[in-house]
Structure formats: structure tokens, C-alpha cells
Amino acid sequence: MQEQKFLFILGSARQNGNTEMLARHVAALLPATTAQEWLLLMDYSLPLFEDIRHSIGVYPQPEGNEKVLFDATLNATDIVIASPLYWYSVSATTKLYLDYWSAWMRVPGADFRARMKGKKLWVISVCSDENMAEMSAHLVGMLRLTADYLDMEWGGVLLGYGNRAGDVDLARLGEAERGFFAV
Ligand SMILES: Cc1cc2nc3c(=O)[nH]c(=O)nc-3n(C[C@H](O)[C@H](O)[C@H](O)COP(=O)(O)O)c2cc1C
């Protein structure tokens, strides 16, 4: 079996936020031999996505921040989207990162679509409403459809509750949630 490499895509617009805290809490139970890469999207800002699919038709080879994200994405077996709930969906940086997947599908030689197939997509999110499942339904739904679109496997969803940074209620997690990544 291929060695697992987890990529954590952190989509919060602040450092050390609740979503990262929750992600780090459950990632601590990953086997020590499982590689982990953590990227805070705020640190890898991307220009606005341009839709040139039907004009130029191809996208240039990624460079700079885009290349870091591109390489990390293709290198991972497991991609964890760790985005807080912003307006019932993912944060803007997370959405922009996903928009770039559309570009990467059209980077000559990248073979992006074929290489995404079979990777596992996981979701971790925190929101400030106790009714987490209902409030996060669109965030989860759009990520699930995105995974399906790219023939990715679905890892699962972990939702947390909290508002101010550091609020996330880790004590509220059940055993199954703490063992989120146990496969
Ligand atoms: C722009 C913005 C939009 C938000 N939208 C929602 C929302 O739709 N529903 C909700 O319950 N909380 C919403 N929140 C609250 C955050 O989800 C909450 O504070 C969360 O803990 C932030 O996670 P973080 O610490 O990882 O950044 C929003 C916060 C911001 C800044």
C-alpha cells in the first residue's frame, strides 16, 4: 500500500484559530510514520483566479506560492480541508485554492485529474453556531461534490463549535471524533 501523506490546508483568516486547533488535536493521533504537511493559506496568497479555460485553454506551470500549493496537493495521499465556516461555506482563501484546482487540471503535463483520483478528501470545520451539522451542510455538500467530481475518496467530516480563537470545545469530542483519522 502507498505510504500515507496528509496535507492540511488551513483556511482560517487568523493564526492559531479554532479549526487549526481541532485539526492538530485529531492529527496528533495519526501514526508517527504518517507524513504531515501543514499549509496556512494566508501565508500562500494567490492572485484572483482567472478563467481562461475557453480562451487560452491552458494554464502556465505554477510558480511561487501557487507551486507550493500545487506540489503539496499532488504529493499528498490525503487532503484535509480545514476551513472555518464563513457564511455557511468555506473561507475565501479555501475557495480560491479550490478554484485553482480548475486551473491545475489544465496545466500541460500535470495530469492533475488523473493524479487526484483516489486521493482521500477530509473536512474539518468550526463554526459559532451550536447547530453545527445544519449550518455546515453547504460547506460539506460542496466539498463532497468536489471530491466526487475528481473521483476522490471521501474521508469524513469533523465539526467543532467555537467562536473566539481558542474557544473550540475539544472536551465535547466523542471517542469516534477523537479517532477521526483512525482508518
Ligand atoms: C467572515 C466570517 C463569516 C462567518 N460566518 C459564519 C457562519 O456563517 N456561521 C457560523 O456559525 N459562524 C460563522 N463565523 C464564525 C466562525 O466560523 C467562528 O468564529 C470560527 O470559530 C472561526 O474559526 P477559526 O478560529 O478557525 O478561524 C464567521 C466568521 C467570519 C470571520
Side-chain angles (χ1 to χ4, degrees):
M1 208 175 85
Q2 198 187 357
E3 232 173 77
Q4 275 187 303
K5 292 181 204 150
F6 272 73
L7 171 64
F8 292 85
I9 293 288
L10 303 175
S12 175
R14 61 186 174 191
Q15 283 178 340
N16 306 315
N18 292 316
T19 317
E20 176 172 356
M21 234 175 100
L22 180 57
R24 291 202 186 270
H25 185 73
V26 291
L29 288 186
L30 277 169
T33 49
T34 301
Q36 298 181 26
E37 183 170 10
W38 294 74
L39 295 176
L40 177 60
L41 289 173
M42 252 190 349
D43 292 340
Y44 296 92
S45 62
L46 297 168
L48 283 178
F49 170 75
E50 266 191 76
D51 184 359
I52 55 169
R53 293 170 306 145
H54 306 127
S55 49
I56 298 170
V58 292
Y59 283 80
Q61 296 297 324
E63 287 178 3
N65 287 345
E66 184 189 344
K67 181 167 164 52
V68 174
L69 293 167
F70 171 80
D71 287 344
T73 302
L74 286 179
N75 195 33
T77 56
D78 293 79
I79 299 172
V80 184
I81 299 291
S83 169
L85 188 70
Y86 279 4
W87 297 113
Y88 312 102
S89 187
V90 293
S91 67
T93 51
T94 307
K95 180 61 167 52
L96 183 59
Y97 163 71
L98 294 172
D99 286 353
Y100 268 76
W101 286 15
S102 193
W104 298 342
M105 281 192 266
R106 296 168 178 86
V107 170
D111 216 8
F112 186 78
R113 193 181 240 292
R115 290 170 70 190
M116 292 301 279
K117 183 177 173 164
K119 292 187 194 296
K120 203 175 265 187
L121 192 71
W122 304 80
V123 179
I124 297 179
S125 187
V126 174
C127 73
S128 59
D129 192 302
E130 290 215 50
N131 195 356
M132 302 176 293
E134 192 183 327
M135 293 303 149
S136 307
H138 292 283
L139 175 149
V140 173
M142 75 85 137
L143 289 167
R144 178 135 212 172
L145 290 170
T146 302
D148 286 350
Y149 181 73
L150 285 167
D151 293 317
M152 298 174 76
E153 286 175 37
W154 186 244
V157 181
L158 178 61
L159 301 176
Y161 167 61
N163 194 13
R164 300 176 75 89
D167 262 2
V168 66
D169 195 355
L170 299 172
R172 188 174 166 142
L173 297 180
E175 203 169 313
E177 290 166 312
R178 277 195 301 275
F180 182 52
F181 291 125
V183 276

